[in-house]
Amino acid sequence: MAKTNFQYEKRQKELEKKKKAEEKARRKLEAKNNPKLADGSEGDEPEADDADVDADPAAEGDAPAQPQ
């Protein structure tokens, strides 16, 4: 029966831990540099304020006309 290669398994665990630590450090740095994105969103989606303005351009025309 073949022996288990414990060194290989240990190295794989170490590499996985290192990868997770690097990912965590990257996310932490991004959150520090971009406080708006600290809530976990990626930033690909438009902000709610911008979306409302662009979504309905006719909303500006709903205001009553100014008296002359």
Side-chain angles (χ1 to χ4, degrees), residues 36-59:
K36 291 181 181 179
L37 301 179
D39 61 359
S41 63
E42 291 295 323
D44 294 337
E45 301 175 14
E47 293 181 9
D49 296 337
D50 295 340
D52 292 340
V53 172
D54 295 336
D56 193 9

Side-chain angles (χ1 to χ4, degrees), residues 6-68:
F6 290 109
Q7 289 180 340
Y8 176 79
E9 291 176 7
K10 183 178 179 182
R11 179 68 179 147
Q12 294 304 307
K13 286 181 183 180
E14 289 174 355
L15 290 173
E16 187 64 30
K17 282 183 183 180
K18 184 177 179 182
K19 184 179 175 182
K20 283 185 178 183
E22 288 174 353
E23 178 66 22
K24 184 177 180 181
R26 185 188 62 79
R27 283 184 283 143
K28 188 174 181 181
L29 184 62
E30 278 184 12
K32 183 178 178 183
N33 291 337
N34 299 321
K36 291 181 181 179
L37 301 179
D39 61 359
S41 63
E42 291 295 323
D44 294 337
E45 301 175 14
E47 293 181 9
D49 296 337
D50 295 340
D52 292 340
V53 172
D54 295 336
D56 193 9
E60 294 174 4
D62 293 341
Q66 295 178 353
Q68 293 183 11

